[in-house]
Amino acid sequence: MLVLLPPSEGKAASGRGAPLKPESLSLPGLSAARAAVLDELVELCAGDEAKACEVLGLSEGLRGEVAKNAGLRTAGARPAGEIYTGVLYDALGLASLDAAAKRRAARSLLVFSGLWGALRVTDRIPSYRCSMGVRLPGLGALGAHWRGPLADALPAAAGAGLVLDLRSTAYAAAWKPQGEVAGRTATVRVLHAPTRKVVSHFNKATKGRIVRSLLSSGAAPKGPGELVEALRDLGYVVEARPPARADRAWALDVLVTEVH
């Protein structure tokens, strides 16, 4: 099982660990594309601060993120699973998983990123600010920049099993599973059952809980149909919409009655 996650806007501090070693990151096929984004981002943020804020969409209160980006090459690095914070990652609670669940997380979780393309939660990175929606002056829109490299690298990462896609729209656009990979992919919406509406906070929190439940239980669904059964066994209310064609993803709605 491969679980595709968005990153978080909020990130923990880099800390005092050894600095980034780009060659150590997983998915080495993304190395050239990562280097291109890193080079331009550091250069941008080491120059005109006001321009960097404009390009990155930073408010006055976030101007400090520019200096953080300028120092990416020398800042301490920590596992990505410790860097990403926010609602989904708080609910997922990687640090409190047992040893077996942590091993499953290391194998199965893939976090998408405007700077790194995609990462394992064990990849060591510094804290940064660069969303997939950014358009860098030289490279242009990052979503477009990543499409080719991710299309080349990710089918192999997906292997022959289930792909559970929990990404937000901007990150989902950077790689769309195709062909037979799409046929074993499931996308998930979390709906407030009484209103049938998506609400951002509990959508993220529930997705985090779903991933934690799967990792903690040791469930290993091989395809979308088995995923539906596994989630129902774990107590989730799931409505499934199988695709009309074999090369299209399944769409799952998880219904939640309480907003928390």
Side-chain angles (χ1 to χ4, degrees):
M1 177 173 65
L2 184 69
V3 182
L4 311 181
L5 297 175
S8 58
E9 287 296 324
K11 297 176 182 69
S14 293
R16 298 182 180 179
L20 171 72
K21 295 181 179 179
E23 69 279 4
S24 72
L25 299 178
S26 57
L27 301 175
L30 302 178
S31 294
R34 287 171 176 152
V37 181
L38 180 62
D39 287 348
E40 184 167 355
L41 183 63
V42 169
E43 182 179 359
L44 170 71
C45 292
D48 185 330
E49 185 180 84
K51 179 180 179 182
C53 284
E54 180 182 357
V55 170
L56 297 174
L58 300 178
S59 65
E60 182 64 30
L62 293 173
R63 290 179 79 91
E65 300 292 286
V66 175
K68 179 195 292 185
N69 283 348
L72 284 173
R73 297 189 188 283
T74 56
R78 296 167 59 185
E82 297 178 12
I83 290 289
Y84 293 116
T85 60
V87 175
L88 187 154
Y89 290 90
D90 286 348
L92 171 52
L94 285 169
S96 62
L97 292 172
D98 65 32
K102 286 180 179 177
R103 289 193 293 271
R104 288 190 281 271
R107 292 193 303 268
S108 63
L109 303 188
L110 202 63
V111 183
F112 279 64
S113 163
L115 173 53
W116 312 112
L119 296 163
R120 301 288 184 183
V121 292
T122 50
D123 284 331
R124 298 181 66 86
I125 57 170
S127 185
Y128 68 96
R129 187 78 175 214
C130 185
S131 72
M132 191 65 80
V134 163
R135 180 183 292 273
L136 292 175
L139 289 177
L142 290 180
H145 170 76
W146 282 114
R147 259 178 225 123
L150 289 170
D152 290 340
L154 291 192
L162 169 71
V163 178
L164 174 55
D165 190 350
L166 302 178
R167 296 172 296 166
S168 52
T169 302
Y171 293 92
W175 181 59
K176 296 182 179 180
Q178 303 293 322
E180 61 89 20
V181 179
R184 46 189 167 85
T185 296
T187 63
V188 172
R189 296 188 307 174
V190 180
L191 302 181
H192 185 218
T195 64
R196 310 293 292 193
K197 292 181 179 179
V198 175
V199 180
S200 179
H201 179 88
F202 77 80
N203 173 56
K204 295 176 183 177
T206 303
K207 286 180 177 178
R209 293 187 195 104
I210 285 171
V211 177
R212 184 179 179 88
S213 296
L214 290 169
L215 294 173
S216 296
S217 69
K222 295 181 174 59
E226 290 187 18
L227 173 64
V228 173
E229 294 177 7
L231 291 176
R232 288 173 177 165
D233 288 344
L234 290 166
Y236 293 94
V237 178
V238 183
E239 294 179 351
R241 297 189 303 281
R245 291 171 42 177
D247 60 349
R248 295 289 186 269
W250 285 52
L252 309 186
D253 288 339
V254 176
L255 306 183
V256 180
T257 56
E258 296 182 5
V259 179
H260 62 93

